[in-house]
Amino acid sequence: SRRQRQMCIRDSLRLAVGSTGGVALGDKFIVSPNILSDYDSLLDPNALDRIGLAEVIRVNYHNAELKILAGDSLGVYRSATPF
């Protein structure tokens, strides 16, 4: 799985996996403050209010930078799930 921890830096995120882990420029991720690991976590009525959409704008071998496209640009996101 390419779900990784990340930290928020203004309107961008640093993903702790890069091209060696399969991340490519332009990849999109659903970002969330919580890990969306199962169907029950998606049933949380507040889940949609806390998620965001991010796109890879820079990538190297070991990490990637994602730009927040939708969601709280100052939010704290700890999970990224590719889609």
Side-chain angles (χ1 to χ4, degrees), residues 65-82:
E65 183 177 350
L66 284 69
K67 179 173 177 52
I68 302 294
L69 300 176
D72 185 359
S73 64
L74 297 177
V76 176
Y77 298 108
R78 293 189 176 97
S79 174
T81 305

Side-chain angles (χ1 to χ4, degrees), residues 11-14 27 29 31 53-58 64-70:
D11 66 343
S12 66
L13 304 169
R14 178 84 45 196
D27 284 356
F29 288 81
V31 292
L53 176 64
E55 179 178 9
V56 176
I57 57 171
R58 287 184 192 85
E65 183 177 350
L66 284 69
K67 179 173 177 52
I68 302 294
L69 300 176

